[in-house]
Amino acid sequence: MAAAGRTTADPPSHQGCAISSVRLGLPAQRGELCDRREDGLHLHHLVWRLGPGVRVCSSAVLGGGIGPRAWILNAQVPGGYPRLDPDRHLAEIAAAEGLTGPGAGLMTAAEVAAHTTAQDGGVTATVTAGLGVRGWAAAPEDERAPSFRPGTVNIVVTLPVALSDAALVNAVATATEAKVQALLDAGLDCSGTPTDAVCVAAPAPGPDGVEPFAGPRSTWGARIARAVHTAVLAGARPTA
C-alpha cells in the first residue's frame, strides 16, 4: 500500500494544519490518502471528493445524518486525543484540504495509511480498523464507555445507485452486521469499539428512481455486506 509523503514544515498546533496530498491514482470511490503534521506528529487522513449529487447517511461526528454531502473525511488523531471539539477539528482539516460545502467527518486513532479496501459488484468499502478498545454493544451499565474517544473502526461505503431514505438506513445496518461477522471471523470476542462510525454514500435520487432495499439479502445490500466483511476482516486480522 502506498504511503503519503511527509510534509517539510511544522505548522502551528491546531490553528492550521499543513497538508500535502498524495494522489494515488485510485478510483474516486476509494478515497485519497493525504498527510499532515500536528503538534510534531505525522498523521494521515482519507478524503473522498464526492462532488454534487451525492447523498450520505452516516453516524459521523461531523455532518452525520442523511443529506447531500460533497466530501467525506476520515482523519487519524493521536491516542489519548486531547481536544473536546472533534467536529471543529475535522472542519479545520477539511478547510486545509480545500473541501467546501457540506461534508461528513470521522476520526480514528488507527493508522489511516493502513486502511483496507474491498469491492463487490460496484460497491466499495474502505475501513480503518484499530481495535485496542473493544467490547460488546450490549455491555452492562458499569462498563459504559468514557465520554469521548475517536472511533477506531470506521467504515466508508460508496455505491453507484440511488437508495431511498429507508434503504440508506438499512445499508448502515447491513454494514454494521457485516462488520460484526468479520470481527468474529477474525477470532475477536467483540462487536466493535465504543465509537465506531459508518458512512454510506450513494447518488441522489433521479429520474431512474431509487433502490428501496439494502438489507443483506437484497442485491445491493448483499454487495455492501460482502465488501464490508472483506475489508474489515483484512484490517482486523493480526499481521504476522
Side-chain angles (χ1 to χ4, degrees), residues 3-5 19-24 31-36 42-49 73-74 76 93 97 111-113:
I19 295 182
S20 64
S21 299
V22 175
R23 305 302 194 267
L24 299 181
E32 174 186 319
L33 183 62
C34 311
D35 70 353
R36 69 191 191 279
H42 183 218
L43 302 170
H44 294 91
H45 51 277
L46 284 166
V47 175
W48 288 257
R49 301 178 191 271
L73 171 70
N74 185 14
Q76 178 188 358
I93 299 171
E97 271 293 346
E111 173 51 75
V112 168

Side-chain angles (χ1 to χ4, degrees), residues 110-128:
E111 173 51 75
V112 168
H115 65 278
T116 54
T117 302
Q119 294 181 306
D120 192 294
V123 172
T124 300
T126 303
V127 171
T128 51

Side-chain angles (χ1 to χ4, degrees), residues 33-132:
L33 183 62
C34 311
D35 70 353
R36 69 191 191 279
R37 283 191 177 274
E38 289 183 7
D39 293 334
L41 298 174
H42 183 218
L43 302 170
H44 294 91
H45 51 277
L46 284 166
V47 175
W48 288 257
R49 301 178 191 271
L50 304 174
V54 177
R55 292 202 308 164
V56 172
C57 178
S58 81
S59 59
V61 66
L62 172 67
I66 299 178
R69 302 289 184 268
W71 48 267
I72 299 172
L73 171 70
N74 185 14
Q76 178 188 358
V77 295
Y81 181 69
R83 292 185 63 161
L84 301 177
D85 58 347
D87 52 345
R88 182 176 177 182
H89 188 187
L90 285 163
E92 291 170 359
I93 299 171
E97 271 293 346
L99 302 174
T100 59
L106 306 88
M107 283 186 168
T108 179
E111 173 51 75
V112 168
H115 65 278
T116 54
T117 302
Q119 294 181 306
D120 192 294
V123 172
T124 300
T126 303
V127 171
T128 51
L131 290 152

Side-chain angles (χ1 to χ4, degrees), residues 190-214:
C190 66
S191 59
T193 79
T195 47
D196 294 349
V198 180
C199 282
V200 176
D208 295 331
V210 297
E211 292 289 328
F213 306 114

Side-chain angles (χ1 to χ4, degrees), residues 151-235:
T152 50
V153 179
N154 285 340
I155 300 169
V156 175
V157 175
T158 61
L159 62 159
V161 297
L163 301 179
S164 68
D165 285 0
L168 278 170
V169 174
N170 206 356
V172 170
T174 295
T176 302
E177 290 182 44
K179 176 197 73 172
V180 176
Q181 181 181 347
L183 294 176
L184 295 178
D185 287 346
L188 298 173
D189 189 24
C190 66
S191 59
T193 79
T195 47
D196 294 349
V198 180
C199 282
V200 176
D208 295 331
V210 297
E211 292 289 328
F213 306 114
R217 291 299 168 263
S218 68
T219 298
W220 289 100
R223 293 170 180 174
I224 291 169
R226 288 191 296 264
V228 170
H229 180 271
T230 299
V232 173
L233 186 59

